[in-house]
Amino acid sequence: MSNPANRSSEPKVLISAEKLDERIAEIASEIQNDYQGREIVAICVLKGSFIFFSDVLRKLDLPIHCEFLGVSSYGDKKVSSGEVKVTLDINEPLENKHVILFEDIVDSGLTLSYILANLRARRPASLKTCALLMKPESMRVEVPVEYVGFKIGPEFVIGYGMDYAGKYRGLPYIGYLEPEH
Ligand code: IMP
């Protein structure tokens, strides 16, 4: 991923709020069809996924248990080290449950790969991943992602839950910061 340091602070729009709305409705309808008649455990990976998670969930008409998983993967770095620390674990046992994991963005894939291994060890009946964004050019490990919102380039993005240095999470669109000249 490119380094967002030395960027101007006015974000440019990459994916508008309207496009997000449309795509989220499509994803929710796919999930609704796939899980008809089943109870699911929906896990939100904190913090960046919280808006995506709540927008998809509000469009689902299924019995859902919401869980929140806190992970920290980068520390102070801009690039994933692959060392993932669980900062908040879920409360619900997953054995024999149908689990959907919600991620904001899959970059190198290292964070997701770690989380999936951790959750698989808890023996769910099924485990799928729903990621709002994927950066295929940045992937370093193969990870299954069953529901993908948008594939994007390696640019560092912000907004709609995602931050840079703790800022921009409340933007209603997905944006990026242009280099300062
Ligand atoms: P990965 O382990 O490299 O796949 O990184 C995944 C995590 O890094 C995501 O869940 C995000 O928290 C963070 N991340 C990766 N790329 C971006 C980005 O462009 N903007 C904001 N956060 C990002």
Side-chain angles (χ1 to χ4, degrees), residues 56-127:
V56 176
L57 254 62
R58 278 181 295 173
K59 290 195 157 48
L60 293 176
D61 183 17
L62 295 168
I64 301 172
H65 290 271
C66 292
E67 290 292 326
F68 297 87
L69 179 68
V71 295
S72 101
S73 48
Y74 286 11
D76 290 337
K77 302 186 197 86
K78 304 286 185 318
V79 177
S80 184
S81 58
E83 285 169 36
V84 180
K85 201 170 105 192
V86 174
T87 54
L88 173 73
D89 205 352
I90 56 175
N91 291 317
E92 180 97 348
L94 299 181
E95 192 157 2
N96 296 325
K97 307 272 175 67
H98 295 289
V99 177
I100 308 179
L101 184 74
F102 288 82
E103 253 288 30
D104 51 356
I105 180 161
V106 181
D107 185 11
S108 68
L110 292 168
T111 305
L112 180 58
S113 167
Y114 173 91
I115 295 173
L116 288 177
N118 180 306
L119 297 181
R120 269 189 215 111
R122 306 181 198 201
R123 302 178 173 278
S126 68
L127 174 60

Side-chain angles (χ1 to χ4, degrees), residues 21-176:
D21 273 358
E22 266 173 41
R23 188 68 191 118
I24 273 140
E26 289 170 359
I27 291 175
S29 123
E30 270 186 64
I31 294 176
Q32 181 75 35
N33 288 335
D34 293 352
Y35 287 85
Q36 206 58 254
R38 286 191 232 164
E39 205 169 283
I40 60 175
V41 179
I43 302 179
C44 172
V45 182
L46 296 173
K47 296 179 185 168
S49 312
F50 74 106
I51 295 180
F52 174 51
F53 182 70
S54 53
D55 278 355
V56 176
L57 254 62
R58 278 181 295 173
K59 290 195 157 48
L60 293 176
D61 183 17
L62 295 168
I64 301 172
H65 290 271
C66 292
E67 290 292 326
F68 297 87
L69 179 68
V71 295
S72 101
S73 48
Y74 286 11
D76 290 337
K77 302 186 197 86
K78 304 286 185 318
V79 177
S80 184
S81 58
E83 285 169 36
V84 180
K85 201 170 105 192
V86 174
T87 54
L88 173 73
D89 205 352
I90 56 175
N91 291 317
E92 180 97 348
L94 299 181
E95 192 157 2
N96 296 325
K97 307 272 175 67
H98 295 289
V99 177
I100 308 179
L101 184 74
F102 288 82
E103 253 288 30
D104 51 356
I105 180 161
V106 181
D107 185 11
S108 68
L110 292 168
T111 305
L112 180 58
S113 167
Y114 173 91
I115 295 173
L116 288 177
N118 180 306
L119 297 181
R120 269 189 215 111
R122 306 181 198 201
R123 302 178 173 278
S126 68
L127 174 60
K128 287 191 183 178
T129 302
C130 177
L132 175 62
L133 303 173
M134 274 185 94
K135 295 181 179 175
E137 293 161 47
S138 312
M139 298 271 297
R140 287 168 55 197
V141 284
E142 285 244 349
V143 269
V145 182
E146 287 79 6
Y147 306 99
V148 179
F150 301 90
K151 291 183 177 167
I152 61 168
E155 188 63 24
F156 193 88
V157 292
I158 49 166
Y160 196 65
M162 290 172 289
D163 76 314
Y164 171 59
K167 287 169 66 186
Y168 305 109
R169 288 195 199 275
L171 289 180
Y173 58 88
I174 292 175
Y176 60 98

